[in-house]
Amino acid sequence: GQHLITAIAEQMFGFKTTSWELGRQRSVIELDTPSMTAEQVEALERSVNEKIRERVPVMVRELAADDPEIETVRSRGLPDDHAGPVRVVDIEGIDSNMCCGTHVSNLSDLQVIKLLGTEKGKKNKINLVFLAGNRVLKSVEQSHSTEKALTSLLKNGPGEHVEAVKRLQSSVKLLQKNNLNLLRDIAVLIARDFKSKPVQSQLFVLHRKEGDSEFMNIIANEIGTEETLLFLTVGDEKEAGLFLLAGPVEAVENLGPRVAELLGGKGAGKRGRFQGKATKMSRRGEVQALLQEFITHGSPEA
């Protein structure tokens, strides 16, 4: 399959093959061209499959290393230490190529080739992705299974799947926007509730599973951190999440790294705020005890 695609691509468009990769799931041919249009890919696929349907014979022959005909055979050149005859694979009227691999005796044995399009390759080159033979059938089967699953989930026919997904994406974006606005409102209300109390605690601790960094920073901004030490967390209560320690600059500089260490995370801070990611949110109670000890005695326990 690779021999056939390589030969036809060069004949039709002058695109030379510079390397290839025959993978387990799909195969790739690197072509010496900066781009290839969809129309060119379609024309190439049509041409290679025509050759398969024409049942073009494939023959293997051996030539002596000094045979003049070697010069007419497509190859990268023989290794310096090569000895003995040279194996040549001929696709009748299409290609003559040095190769030591196993080959079909007729192009019809390939069944079909499907070009999946191109991907960006090395500088000024592209990678042409293809499937051949039973891999095409397996790909069709997999696509059909996916199509059936989407039909069941989206409650419409295959021709409407794309539009249905676009509508879902629009709905999700709107819900996310509304959710963000609600979280902002909740953050402001939480802060105002704290500030409305006759006697305000020197330590404010809050965890909310649905929050984000903005949610925590809004609370910190609204409460003010000149006198109050805030420990805010969002995310999974027992696993990973985000944290924010805010308060007097000196206190945060002293406690921030300790808090990150207790939570199994990393963070950074400046101007009275230390925030980062945590992997052990279940240890929030230990952090709270550390902060309470600092407020009570002016320094955390060792």
Side-chain angles (χ1 to χ4, degrees):
Q2 179 268 313
H3 284 203
L4 178 61
I5 297 169
T6 287
I8 300 298
E10 186 168 351
Q11 289 174 16
M12 292 183 70
F13 310 114
F15 298 160
K16 292 185 179 295
T17 293
T18 48
S19 69
W20 62 85
E21 178 186 357
L22 305 181
R24 290 184 177 274
Q25 303 299 325
R26 63 178 198 164
S27 297
V28 177
I29 298 173
E30 183 185 74
L31 296 175
D32 191 12
T33 177
S35 64
M36 190 173 183
T37 67
E39 291 76 17
Q40 287 174 320
V41 173
E42 183 180 350
L44 178 57
E45 178 181 281
R46 186 166 54 249
S47 181
V48 297
N49 282 298
E50 284 174 358
K51 300 302 180 185
I52 291 172
R53 289 192 295 272
E54 290 171 6
R55 298 178 54 81
V56 176
V58 179
M59 296 159 290
V60 176
R61 58 198 172 106
E62 292 186 352
L63 300 176
D66 58 354
D67 192 317
E69 194 172 347
I70 290 290
E71 299 299 323
T72 67
V73 177
R74 180 172 60 83
S75 77
R76 294 184 175 184
L78 291 170
D80 294 336
D81 59 352
H82 174 78
V86 177
R87 188 170 183 270
V88 177
V89 178
D90 292 317
I91 304 176
E92 190 176 276
I94 298 174
D95 188 40
S96 186
N97 180 37
M98 292 183 193
C99 190
C100 60
T102 304
H103 292 80
V104 299
S105 60
N106 190 292
L107 286 187
S108 64
D109 292 337
L110 294 177
Q111 303 177 65
V112 65
I113 284 176
K114 178 61 184 174
L115 303 183
L116 300 179
T118 61
E119 298 174 350
K120 186 177 180 180
K122 297 175 184 177
K123 186 176 181 181
N124 294 324
K125 296 180 182 180
I126 60 159
N127 294 327
L128 179 64
V129 185
F130 75 96
L131 302 175
N134 286 335
R135 292 184 182 186
V136 178
L137 297 176
K138 289 180 181 178
S139 178
V140 171
E141 182 180 356
Q142 183 179 17
S143 296
H144 182 60
S145 297
T146 301
E147 191 175 86
K148 285 174 64 178
L150 287 173
T151 296
S152 176
L153 290 169
L154 298 174
K155 309 300 181 185
N156 57 17
E160 300 171 316
H161 285 175
V162 173
E163 288 303 318
V165 171
K166 286 181 179 179
R167 288 195 297 271
L168 284 173
Q169 288 178 327
S170 296
S171 297
V172 169
K173 286 181 181 179
L174 180 60
L175 288 171
Q176 289 175 331
K177 183 179 179 180
N178 291 339
N179 184 58
L180 181 60
N181 289 334
L182 289 172
L183 276 175
R184 289 169 176 165
D185 292 343
I186 291 172
V188 172
L189 290 173
I190 288 172
R192 289 179 180 175
D193 178 65
F194 174 80
K195 294 174 70 175
S196 68
K197 293 178 180 179
V199 179
Q200 294 180 10
S201 171
Q202 289 181 280
L203 176 63
F204 180 80
V205 177
L206 177 75
H207 174 78
R208 189 176 184 89
K209 186 175 183 179
E210 310 79 29
D212 58 12
S213 293
E214 184 179 11
F215 172 77
M216 294 188 293
N217 278 290
I218 289 174
I219 293 176
N221 290 338
E222 290 290 326
I223 289 179
T225 57
E226 292 81 8
E227 298 178 0
T228 304
L229 191 61
L230 290 84
F231 174 52
L232 310 174
T233 54
V234 296
D236 193 294
E237 295 179 0
K238 295 183 179 180
E239 296 181 9
L242 305 174
F243 71 91
L244 170 65
L245 180 69
V249 174
E250 186 176 347
V252 172
E253 287 180 351
N254 183 12
L255 294 165
R258 295 283 303 279
V259 171
E261 182 180 0
L262 279 173
L263 294 176
K266 294 181 179 181
K270 59 182 180 179
R271 294 194 294 274
R273 295 197 185 186
F274 190 98
Q275 54 190 328
K277 295 181 179 179
T279 61
K280 299 177 181 178
M281 296 290 277
S282 59
R283 300 182 70 179
R284 296 192 325 277
E286 296 178 48
V287 174
Q288 186 171 347
L290 172 74
L291 300 180
Q292 190 62 59
E293 176 69 20
F294 177 84
I295 290 172
T296 303
H297 300 289
S299 63
E301 290 183 339

